[in-house]
Amino acid sequence: MSLAPVEMIDPFGRRVTYLRVSVTDRCDFRCTYCMSEDMTFLPRRDLLTLEELDRLCSAFVAKGIRKIRITGGEPLVRKNILFLFRQLARHLSSGALDEVTLTTNGSQLNRFAGALADCGLKRINVSLDTLDRDRFREITRWGDFDQVMAGIAAAQQAGIAIKLNTVAVRGVNDGEIADIIAFAHGRGMDVTLIETMPMGETGSTRADQYLPLSEVRERLGTRWTLEESDYATGGPARYVTIRETGGRLGFITPLSHNFCESCNRIRVTCTGTLYMCLGQDDAADLRTPLRASEGDDLVAAAIDEAIGRKPEGHDFVIDRDREPAVSRHMSVTGG
Ligand code: SAM
Ligand code: SF4
């Protein structure tokens, strides 16, 4: 008798195979579109331990998750985070997972790149919104550009492929986007551009920062030939290839074009809260069932119940009178 494959199917027939895990809400940067300068973080006692995060991830793997992305806050500032990567590596070795990956601001990559490669990470996303040192400091408030550049070099040296994530912010980096793409493609890195999403108070007005990528794309088209590509990573980006550079460019456009119909992903925070949609507040507490029993039956049941109410989609709009659309910051769920 052959067993049916274990899988999670939501009410709209979408197979959920991709889990994003925010391992901390803390960060060593304060990017202006993401956080306010003065943030209140979760008390440490509310956090799942790394052992609990591993148990939770493994419960999801048993339910059919094939890809895990570790994110934050800044995941590499969580103390002893390599423990989690080392634990997850066993699911790569067994073939239960296709991929473990990471989204990082790059600040700690110089010291972690080699160890991450040893844990089976093959490609990671690094966020970079400018190539100008002073502007980098303005955007990140606390970041050091040279440290991030050294981190990128170390990861490439360790054989990890890098995709740059660049948030397009009107009046901040709109004049620089082509240069960032040329820089990345010249070093064998893909780039994905992201529209600013209305998540959490930041002290800035999102309506002023919002730059539709349709506008960016039009401008890039006057410099380069953008060829439609059917390349897909299982994420929400749509890709083109730039004929002149040979590199790939992705667009994530949650506002001007949402991507919910093919959504295969869920997100869990460092407190064990499961969000079925980035743009909705509905969530499920998995920490209580995780801690209530040593076995995984309770948490598995809570996961099933939550997947049964994954919403059809989000309804982000940037509205001056109604912002932010979602009160939690991106650093809670990790984007
Ligand atoms: N700290 C890591 C980093 O910056 O890559 C991981 C977490 S960060 C929240 C993940 C991604 O979300 C980054 O690429 C960041 O630029 C993006 N991001 C943060 N706030 C955003 C917002 N309001 N709208 C769009 N993207 C945002
Ligand atoms: Fe930190 Fe990433 Fe948010 Fe910037 S985008 S403040 S690096 S979590």
Side-chain angles (χ1 to χ4, degrees):
M1 189 182 74
S2 69
L3 290 172
V6 179
E7 50 185 13
M8 294 182 281
I9 311 269
D10 80 0
F12 302 93
R14 296 168 299 191
R15 201 153 73 91
V16 178
T17 54
Y18 181 9
L19 174 67
R20 300 174 68 109
V21 185
S22 175
V23 294
T24 176
D25 63 332
R26 289 164 198 255
C27 188
D28 52 347
F29 291 6
R30 290 288 181 278
C31 302
T32 49
Y33 51 74
C34 179
M35 293 190 182
S36 59
E37 187 152 22
D38 176 25
M39 293 284 290
T40 307
F41 294 112
L42 292 162
R44 287 185 204 274
R45 64 175 181 280
D46 287 355
L47 264 53
L48 295 185
T49 64
L50 292 173
E51 287 79 3
E52 287 172 329
L53 278 169
D54 173 42
R55 239 186 93 199
L56 191 53
C57 288
S58 302
F60 276 110
V61 171
K63 289 209 149 289
I65 285 293
R66 303 289 315 173
K67 170 173 169 176
I68 292 182
R69 177 176 295 278
I70 302 298
T71 176
E74 175 45 42
L76 299 183
V77 302
R78 171 110 194 220
K79 201 168 158 210
N80 202 22
I81 189 63
L82 279 178
F83 169 84
L84 182 62
F85 284 105
R86 291 198 180 105
Q87 290 297 104
L88 293 177
R90 74 190 185 283
H91 297 304
L92 289 171
S93 311
S94 75
L97 273 180
D98 297 327
E99 187 171 30
V100 174
T101 182
L102 165 73
T103 299
T104 175
N105 65 22
S107 68
Q108 311 297 317
L109 262 184
N110 201 8
R111 75 192 165 99
F112 282 119
L116 291 170
D118 290 345
C119 292
L121 272 75
K122 300 234 172 333
R123 47 184 199 122
I124 61 175
N125 292 352
V126 179
S127 303
L128 185 72
D129 304 320
T130 179
L131 297 172
D132 180 287
R133 258 186 205 80
D134 296 334
R135 189 172 296 143
F136 186 84
R137 181 50 74 118
E138 276 164 36
I139 295 174
T140 63
R141 292 193 183 105
W142 297 0
D144 178 344
F145 179 77
D146 294 324
Q147 207 176 324
V148 172
M149 286 297 126
I152 289 175
Q156 289 196 304
Q157 187 71 33
I160 300 177
I162 293 184
K163 179 165 75 69
L164 293 186
N165 277 348
T166 303
V167 178
V169 191
R170 189 182 290 286
V172 176
N173 64 357
D174 33 0
E176 239 203 299
I177 288 174
D179 293 343
I180 296 172
I181 296 167
F183 163 84
H185 287 183
R187 286 164 181 73
M189 299 184 275
D190 292 342
V191 181
T192 295
L193 302 177
I194 307 175
E195 283 176 350
T196 332
M197 297 175 224
M199 298 187 65
E201 288 294 345
T202 58
S204 318
T205 305
R206 288 273 171 34
D208 295 336
Q209 298 181 327
Y210 175 55
L211 173 61
L213 290 184
S214 48
E215 199 178 310
V216 176
R217 186 175 170 149
E218 206 169 297
R219 228 180 299 153
L220 293 174
T222 62
R223 170 163 169 179
W224 285 313
T225 319
L226 309 185
E227 295 172 334
E228 290 297 336
S229 155
D230 52 14
Y231 176 75
T233 58
R238 279 149 225 263
Y239 284 90
V240 298
T241 303
I242 299 188
R243 192 191 296 160
E244 292 80 358
T245 63
R248 265 191 296 259
L249 174 65
F251 296 91
I252 298 186
T253 54
L255 288 119
S256 57
H257 182 288
N258 88 31
F259 37 69
C260 304
E261 66 282 355
S262 59
C263 181
N264 62 348
R265 61 189 52 203
I266 48 177
R267 296 171 162 83
V268 72
T269 71
C270 54
T271 58
T273 305
L274 176 66
Y275 285 94
M276 287 71 83
C277 172
L278 178 65
Q280 302 277 0
D281 283 324
D282 187 27
D285 167 33
L286 300 182
R287 186 177 56 188
T288 305
L290 192 73
R291 289 184 173 167
S293 141
E294 276 179 22
D296 289 337
D297 292 357
L298 293 179
V299 78
I303 292 170
D304 287 342
E305 192 275 328
I307 298 298
R309 55 190 165 88
K310 181 167 161 61
E312 189 168 13
H314 65 68
D315 45 10
F316 281 140
V317 271
I318 296 229
D319 181 340
R320 277 176 198 278
D321 302 324
R322 212 172 63 88
E323 75 163 85
V326 177
S327 59
R328 65 181 188 278
H329 288 89
M330 188 72 103
S331 48
V332 173
T333 34

